[in-house]
Amino acid sequence: MSESELFDVIEGVHTIYAALLGMVITINFAMIVAVWTFLHRASLSLRVAAFVFYLVGMGLLTAMLVQQAHIRDHALSSLRNVPETDHSHFIALFLSTQDDVWFRVVWIAQHMAPALLVLGVAYLLFAWKGRPVE
């Protein structure tokens, strides 16, 4: 594959990744609304069932995120294996940004986000006492 094709794969992954993260955030906000409105007063069996269904959805989305991350890593590895003499100036700059500390921090945060959101929803469903009944 050429440099431009590999870069297109990486950019395509970024587009899919952004859409998947949007879905992850949406499903989490839906659970927060459900907990706030009625699940915090529901029976334990209903809360467990809702959490299991939520985990199935989050598991599928997280699996797709991981798959896209692997595709990106493989394309990036292939791009790095192109001899440096054949790199365009743009690709050389792009590859240098991949080693930047800030980029690593953002990449780690993207991968930790689904787990942190699951922990937050678990806390709201099973530990949070809920709002006072008016």
Side-chain angles (χ1 to χ4, degrees):
M1 293 180 86
S2 69
E3 275 186 348
S4 64
E5 291 171 327
L6 290 169
F7 185 75
D8 286 344
V9 168
I10 293 168
E11 285 304 301
V13 165
H14 288 170
T15 302
I16 294 168
Y17 209 88
L20 289 171
L21 280 176
M23 291 178 203
V24 165
I25 290 168
T26 301
I27 195 173
N28 279 280
F29 278 132
M31 280 301 290
I32 290 168
V33 168
V35 168
W36 179 259
T37 55
F38 67 90
L39 279 176
H40 73 279
R41 289 180 264 173
S43 67
L44 180 62
S45 60
L46 182 59
R47 285 184 286 161
V48 169
F51 191 66
V52 167
F53 290 130
Y54 160 78
L55 283 179
V56 168
M58 282 296 291
L60 292 172
L61 289 172
T62 302
M64 287 188 262
L65 285 167
V66 169
Q67 180 186 35
Q68 291 302 309
H70 283 256
I71 291 170
R72 183 196 170 280
D73 288 345
H74 293 314
L76 192 56
S77 175
S78 296
L79 193 56
R80 287 177 195 230
N81 287 333
V82 172
E84 286 188 35
T85 56
D86 294 340
H87 283 172
S88 67
H89 181 67
F90 174 76
I91 293 299
L93 290 173
F94 173 76
L95 288 174
S96 71
T97 64
Q98 303 305 300
D99 298 325
D100 188 54
V101 172
W102 176 244
F103 181 82
R104 294 285 176 204
V105 169
V106 170
W107 194 243
I108 290 168
Q110 284 177 335
H111 286 83
M112 288 178 52
L116 293 174
L117 291 168
V118 167
L119 290 174
V121 167
Y123 167 78
L124 289 175
L125 268 174
F126 301 111
W128 182 59
K129 299 299 179 200
R131 60 189 166 136
V133 177
E134 297 169 4

